Amino acid sequence: MQFLLTHKALTLTRFKKVLVLNLALTAGILTVGCSSNMVATNEQSFISERTKLIQKYSATDNVFSTLQNQVEPNDPQSREYWRWRIDQYLYGAYPEYQTIYDKYTQGKSFHQIYNLPHENLGPKKALPASLPKLPKGYFTDNLQGNPHTGWHDVIGDKVFITYQGHLTDPYIASYDLKTHKWDGPHKAAESTLSKGDRKIDSHGRPIIEQDSKGHFHIIYGGHGGEREDGLNPLSIDTPHAGGRMLHIMSEKPNDISKFVYVNDITPFASYTASEKMANGDIYLFTRVGTHKSPWVYYKMPSGAQTFEKPVIITVPTPQKQNPINVDTFYITPKKVSDTEIAISSLWHECNFLEIHDKSDYGRINSYYMKLDTTTDTFYNAQNENLDLPITLAKANQQMLAFDSTQREETPFSTTPIILENNTPAVAYQARTKDYREWRMTVFKDGKWEHSKPMPGTANRTLVDSENNVISNIGKLEILTKDSNRYTAAVIYKDRQGEAAFAIAKSDDAQRWRIDQTYLNLAKSRIEMETVKASNGQGVAVLLNVKKGSAQRLYLWRDGQFRPR
């Protein structure tokens, strides 16, 4: 008997009858072979309660029918898979189901609840027998995946660096800017993200903050959680990438040698970003699940050592006319003053089928808002109060900084930027078939102006020591300014196409000349992040240098690389 539903062809009344029968069948998998009358009774009670809830909410929510329509006829595995997806949608969207589900599944493993095969998150790419040689001066072992330049914090005379190391475990090191001595790197904890046959997943990159009592906090490892963690109460999306988000704290203040686990954040989270405010409050921003999940912030008030309950910033919304698709966001926070955090975002159109269009990855538009941390209130560029949570409709109405829907360029990622006059601005990485470059949109005279050049780039020139123009500039960031003499760190491609890192000088921050090149490497990639003290002056530079399967982190300080 075929139970595949065709939503458009069914009237609502007829659909309800068929859906109830389908749900009873799909939810009744576990009753087969049960010898205990009590187990069978509990099973039947659970099925009945679940079916009634879905029937109740299907009257106004067509996501249930849409998900049920995906079941392949005569395919038990498809039926089980979509039963799991429907359970998660019901669990996250309608919390009254949570008590019913948790009671029934208590003590059961994932595979006792769902007759599904084990996850296949591999294979792990094997390293070659010999790695390409990288220049000396690095401070890490060879790294896999994409750890970027790690996450850092300058505290006193030390730079604390945390990064995703071997098998995506979190590592931490500190470098003394005066004595030039290293402490570490130390392996701080274990990650579940890429163990066993799982491929290397770079989503678990750690961040570090120091609380007001001197203890270090590292949050790391998350890309949606593990199946064995159960259903996610904050999301409508199931885990499909693995990796628990975890929080650890240094056992002793001002010491990075040993950490202990703190159980105060959801294991389902993905992505990490944090800001410490002038009063000592720490804000952690994360997405509390896989793609179709809310973005939230966790707050650790000054004097505390655990995070408070999360505050939901954005929520995903299934599209009314095509509910297989879900509108959600990617957000990027950045501290812009002692009391404010600006947040840029883009619209991410994803779907329950987990199909991703790699031409633009469903990334659309750019948005802006800010958080006043003195009151924990959100505002838009016009200083209008924003009520949480933010939906796509609300974002389009009150926060839209750049509408890309009718343009070729796609904003692949965004970040807030700080202009000299504190004007709201968002940088976005514009992508088309032919180019990829950073541009910005600026709020000026009550409206947003987009496709502007990034600050300091409109008339910027860079030449090498022989006055040859360098056109392929990856990144140029000012380190210091001394009597109208500017010093900047720069990565670029030279005339031979080699990746290079150098220090450049300028009298006006427009016409730059390479002062000294510290690294040239063919067939390689360099990422760069400047390390700045609290006064905004650059004190060091972090580099990620990758050539083939060889990848290391470097710290440049006072004219040379500083190996451990």
Side-chain angles (χ1 to χ4, degrees):
M1 188 174 183
Q2 182 172 335
F3 293 105
L4 181 66
L5 303 183
T6 305
H7 178 62
K8 293 181 180 179
L10 291 175
T11 64
L12 182 59
T13 302
R14 183 183 169 206
F15 160 69
K16 285 182 179 180
K17 293 179 180 178
V18 181
L19 179 60
V20 169
L21 178 57
N22 269 332
L23 295 171
L25 285 171
T26 56
I29 296 297
L30 294 176
T31 61
V32 178
C34 289
S35 59
S36 167
N37 289 333
M38 181 64 74
V39 172
T41 301
N42 290 341
E43 187 92 26
Q44 292 165 3
S45 175
F46 167 70
I47 294 170
S48 176
E49 290 184 274
R50 177 185 188 270
T51 303
K52 287 178 182 178
L53 279 181
I54 294 178
Q55 185 178 14
K56 170 185 174 182
Y57 290 116
S58 293
T60 55
D61 188 342
N62 57 359
V63 172
F64 292 105
S65 63
T66 301
L67 299 183
Q68 186 65 38
N69 284 347
Q70 310 311 313
V71 177
E72 295 290 340
N74 304 316
D75 186 342
Q77 185 172 315
S78 173
R79 186 170 63 187
E80 281 292 85
Y81 175 78
W82 287 105
R83 179 167 72 92
W84 174 43
R85 299 298 299 269
I86 291 169
D87 271 343
Q88 177 60 76
Y89 181 76
L90 181 60
Y91 194 88
Y94 302 101
E96 66 181 291
Y97 181 55
Q98 294 175 8
T99 301
I100 298 169
Y101 182 90
D102 291 347
K103 180 180 178 181
Y104 171 68
T105 59
Q106 186 176 8
K108 295 182 176 73
S109 69
F110 177 85
H111 293 287
Q112 287 174 318
I113 303 169
Y114 304 103
N115 186 20
L116 287 170
H118 289 275
E119 286 181 294
N120 179 13
L121 298 178
K124 187 178 268 89
K125 185 178 179 182
L127 287 172
S130 61
L131 295 172
K133 289 186 177 181
L134 294 178
K136 293 182 179 180
Y138 45 79
F139 67 89
T140 68
D141 293 332
N142 191 63
L143 305 175
Q144 291 180 271
N146 189 9
H148 294 302
T149 54
W151 189 273
H152 71 270
D153 198 4
V154 179
I155 302 171
D157 294 325
K158 292 184 178 181
V159 182
F160 293 85
I161 306 162
T162 186
Y163 61 92
Q164 186 170 281
H166 180 62
L167 294 179
T168 69
D169 290 330
Y171 281 71
I172 183 170
S174 70
Y175 174 79
D176 193 303
L177 296 167
K178 289 187 174 181
T179 66
H180 306 299
K181 291 183 179 180
W182 285 95
D183 180 4
H186 304 287
K187 177 180 171 179
E190 289 277 344
S191 171
T192 69
L193 193 58
S194 299
K195 298 299 167 63
D197 294 329
R198 290 180 172 182
K199 63 185 178 183
I200 299 297
D201 185 332
S202 301
H203 285 78
R205 292 183 291 266
I207 57 100
I208 183 172
E209 294 287 356
Q210 187 180 40
D211 67 33
S212 56
K213 297 180 180 180
H215 291 258
F216 292 100
H217 297 259
I218 298 176
I219 296 93
Y220 72 97
H223 195 190
E226 304 288 350
R227 286 180 168 186
E228 290 299 334
D229 294 326
L231 298 185
N232 184 347
L234 294 174
S235 177
I236 59 173
D237 205 6
T238 51
H240 49 256
R244 290 187 181 97
M245 187 70 81
L246 297 168
H247 174 197
I248 57 175
M249 179 180 72
S250 62
E251 193 173 74
K252 300 176 183 178
N254 302 308
D255 181 84
I256 62 171
S257 63
K258 188 175 181 180
F259 287 79
V260 296
Y261 286 95
V262 182
N263 184 22
D264 61 353
I265 61 174
T266 175
F268 298 103
S270 303
Y271 300 104
T272 49
S274 63
E275 296 291 355
K276 184 176 180 180
M277 310 312 291
N279 67 351
D281 292 347
I282 295 172
Y283 287 78
L284 166 67
F285 295 83
T286 186
R287 189 181 68 193
V288 287
T290 39
H291 287 206
K292 295 167 282 297
S293 301
W295 286 84
V296 307
Y297 74 79
Y298 286 89
K299 180 178 179 179
M300 182 185 294
S302 180
Q305 295 191 301
T306 56
F307 288 106
E308 299 175 340
K309 291 183 179 180
V311 175
I312 295 176
I313 304 171
T314 70
V315 290
T317 50
Q319 296 176 1
K320 289 289 186 182
Q321 301 303 316
N322 188 19
I324 199 69
N325 289 342
V326 180
D327 296 321
T328 184
F329 298 89
Y330 280 105
I331 77 169
T332 304
K334 185 174 185 178
K335 178 181 172 181
V336 294
S337 74
D338 286 346
T339 60
E340 285 187 325
I341 299 172
I343 300 170
S344 65
S345 57
L346 57 81
W347 166 21
H348 177 46
E349 184 181 41
C350 57
N351 57 78
F352 285 106
L353 300 176
E354 311 308 333
I355 297 172
H356 305 291
D357 180 358
K358 294 188 176 181
S359 61
D360 63 7
Y361 289 88
R363 302 183 183 207
I364 311 160
N365 294 351
S366 297
Y367 303 90
Y368 173 90
M369 58 181 162
K370 60 184 177 182
L371 170 62
D372 180 349
T373 62
T374 63
T375 59
D376 288 336
T377 304
F378 285 83
Y379 298 89
N380 62 10
Q382 292 88 344
N383 284 318
E384 297 169 339
N385 184 281
L386 296 173
D387 295 326
L388 300 182
I390 303 295
T391 61
L392 177 62
K394 188 178 294 185
N396 282 335
Q397 183 179 12
Q398 296 184 274
M399 298 163 45
L400 184 61
F402 168 47
D403 184 349
S404 70
T405 56
Q406 303 303 316
R407 297 180 62 85
E408 182 184 10
E409 62 189 65
T410 297
F412 187 78
S413 58
T414 71
T415 187
I417 51 178
I418 304 172
L419 301 182
E420 289 184 359
N421 56 1
N422 293 322
T423 300
V426 174
Y428 60 94
Q429 189 186 58
R431 288 191 181 187
T432 69
K433 296 178 181 178
D434 302 319
Y435 66 82
R436 180 184 302 185
E437 68 180 30
W438 280 93
R439 297 176 177 177
M440 72 171 175
T441 177
V442 181
F443 190 69
K444 186 178 180 181
D445 297 327
K447 62 180 181 179
W448 287 95
E449 298 179 0
H450 61 78
S451 303
K452 298 291 185 181
M454 291 290 286
T457 64
N459 300 306
R460 185 183 67 189
T461 59
L462 176 66
V463 298
D464 63 19
S465 58
E466 297 177 353
N467 287 325
N468 297 305
V469 174
I470 297 170
S471 58
N472 193 346
I473 303 171
K475 194 173 187 180
L476 187 150
E477 289 197 1
I478 294 175
L479 292 172
T480 60
K481 176 186 176 183
D482 183 20
S483 300
N484 292 324
R485 183 68 167 167
Y486 297 86
T487 300
V490 57
I491 52 174
Y492 62 96
K493 289 291 183 71
D494 65 16
R495 297 172 68 189
Q496 288 73 42
E498 294 186 354
F501 162 69
I503 295 298
K505 303 282 188 178
S506 174
D507 292 329
D508 57 7
Q510 290 293 311
R511 294 168 294 176
W512 293 91
R513 180 184 176 91
I514 297 298
D515 183 67
Q516 187 169 347
T517 301
Y518 292 91
L519 190 151
N520 282 88
L521 199 60
K523 298 179 180 179
S524 63
R525 182 209 69 194
I526 301 176
E527 291 183 75
M528 179 184 81
E529 189 72 25
T530 56
V531 178
K532 295 186 177 181
S534 58
N535 62 3
Q537 293 290 298
V539 294
V541 179
L542 279 165
L543 297 178
N544 175 312
V545 180
K546 179 176 173 61
K547 182 173 184 177
S549 296
Q551 182 174 212
R552 310 264 188 169
L553 298 186
Y554 294 72
L555 181 74
W556 178 93
R557 161 75 172 167
D558 287 345
Q560 64 185 87
F561 291 119
R562 302 290 178 171
R564 58 178 176 178

